[in-house]
């Protein structure tokens, strides 16, 4: 079965600095990959997704992620952090060829330092 | 456009009480999910329904039952609530079909459940 590992339960960056949130997945076939964001007391909102095609995916709020099959990774980046980016971020994987379930990582809480 | 609607938003139960969390989606999706979210644990899949009339256990199904009443509705029932079931519960739906295309999961706003 597929699985997702997010490195770092908490990440702190200074406002204006690069944001890098790491995600590695396990899947025996090409996966579908997602990043979601959750603001306090809210549901999850999709940031971006990779299904097929271009491996560099751009999402909302200036975020992007690159699918690297050789590294089984789908790291999330943003060139310049903003205070409004403070939230919890979840990486998720789904495998249409197997059981179709969407499996989430444990999440990374992003803190933005002024 | 309502998307995924969960009720109730908040609930406090006594140990041993039962309740049903309701979820409905208006996007004509085949797949629906129930997750629970606990601090440091991320989202854990409780049950999953790939289509009307089918349900499958996820990672943490013990203590829960589900019903896929029709294509729109997927309910989660706690028969005898326990303090360990204190959590935030999310319902989600998605379309996962090679014929109809693939969408991400759309989430409801969550139900905050406390069992005392």
């Amino acid at each position: 079965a597929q699985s997702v590992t997010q490195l770092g339960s908490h990440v702190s960056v200074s406002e204006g600095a690069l944001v890098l949130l790491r995600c590695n997945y396990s899947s025996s076939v090409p996966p579908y990959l997602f990043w979601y964001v959750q603001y306090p007391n809210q549901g999850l909102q999709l940031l971006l997704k990779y299904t097929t095609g271009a491996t560099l995916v751009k999402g909302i709020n200036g975020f992007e992620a690159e699918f690297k099959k050789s590294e089984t990774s789908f790291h999330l980046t943003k060139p310049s952090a903003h205070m409004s980016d403070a939230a919890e971020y979840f990486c998720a994987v789904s495998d249409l060829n197997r059981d179709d379930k969407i499996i989430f990582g444990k999440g990374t809480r992003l803190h933005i330092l002024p | 456009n309502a998307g995924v609607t969960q009720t109730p938003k908040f609930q406090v139960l006594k140990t041993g009480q039962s309740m049903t969390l309701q979820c409905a989606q208006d996007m004509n999706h085949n797949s629906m999910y129930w997750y629970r979210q606990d601090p440091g644990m991320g989202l854990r899949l409780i049950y999953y329904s790939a289509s009307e009339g089918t349900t499958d256990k996820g990672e943490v199904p013990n203590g829960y039952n589900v019903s896929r009443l029709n294509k729109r509705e997927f309910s989660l029932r706690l028969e005898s609530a326990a303090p360990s079931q204190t959590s935030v519960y999310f319902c989600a739906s998605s379309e996962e079909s090679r014929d109809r295309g693939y969408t991400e999961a759309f989430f409801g706003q969550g139900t905050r459940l406390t069992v005392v």
Side-chain angles (χ1 to χ4, degrees):
Chain A
Q2 64 268 39
S3 64
V4 177
T5 302
Q6 291 183 240
L7 295 178
S9 57
H10 292 265
V11 170
S12 296
V13 300
S14 298
E15 191 175 17
L18 172 72
V19 175
L20 171 61
L21 304 183
R22 299 178 185 274
C23 173
N24 289 88
Y25 69 90
S26 171
S27 177
S28 61
V29 295
Y32 295 117
L33 295 160
F34 310 88
W35 275 100
Y36 286 83
V37 61
Q38 185 182 33
Y39 297 103
N41 300 314
Q42 294 189 23
L44 277 73
Q45 176 185 0
L46 182 74
L47 271 178
L48 49 80
K49 64 180 178 182
Y50 168 80
T51 54
T52 59
T55 57
L56 181 62
V57 180
K58 295 187 185 299
I60 62 172
N61 301 339
F63 284 93
E64 62 182 35
E66 186 171 10
F67 169 57
K68 291 187 177 181
K69 183 179 178 181
S70 61
E71 299 177 8
T72 61
S73 69
F74 191 57
H75 301 332
L76 181 71
T77 61
K78 182 175 180 178
S80 178
H82 192 273
M83 294 301 291
S84 61
D85 295 327
E88 190 154 22
Y89 292 80
F90 293 93
C91 182
V93 62
S94 180
D95 180 352
L96 191 61
N97 292 318
R98 294 167 65 95
D99 54 18
D100 298 343
K101 297 172 187 176
I102 300 178
I103 302 299
F104 285 81
K106 294 189 185 301
T108 298
R109 185 165 296 278
L110 177 64
H111 304 272
I112 309 298
L113 307 174
Chain B
N1 186 4
V4 179
T5 303
Q6 289 182 236
T7 56
K9 287 186 170 53
F10 301 94
Q11 184 71 50
V12 178
L13 289 179
K14 294 182 178 179
T15 298
Q17 286 185 318
S18 63
M19 78 162 294
T20 299
L21 281 65
Q22 306 287 352
C23 175
Q25 52 95 5
D26 62 2
M27 294 171 284
N28 203 34
H29 287 163
N30 280 312
S31 299
M32 297 187 73
Y33 313 79
W34 277 105
Y35 293 91
R36 60 177 288 174
Q37 184 179 24
D38 303 289
M41 302 295 289
L43 277 82
R44 292 183 291 171
L45 183 64
I46 305 172
Y47 269 95
Y48 162 71
S49 172
S51 62
E52 181 180 353
T54 68
T55 60
D56 290 293
K57 293 179 180 179
E59 183 183 357
V60 288
N62 292 344
Y64 306 95
N65 287 301
V66 290
S67 295
R68 184 72 183 268
L69 304 170
N70 47 55
K71 193 170 187 179
R72 290 188 65 249
E73 298 172 289
F74 188 38
S75 62
L76 178 72
R77 182 162 178 82
L78 286 70
E79 291 290 352
S80 179
S84 61
Q85 294 178 305
T86 294
S87 186
V88 180
Y89 292 85
F90 286 100
C91 178
S93 73
S94 70
E95 186 64 48
E96 296 164 344
S97 163
R98 287 195 177 278
D99 295 330
R100 297 183 58 184
Y102 188 88
T103 72
E104 66 276 15
F106 291 82
F107 282 81
Q109 288 300 299
T111 296
R112 190 172 295 274
L113 175 67
T114 302
V115 182
V116 298

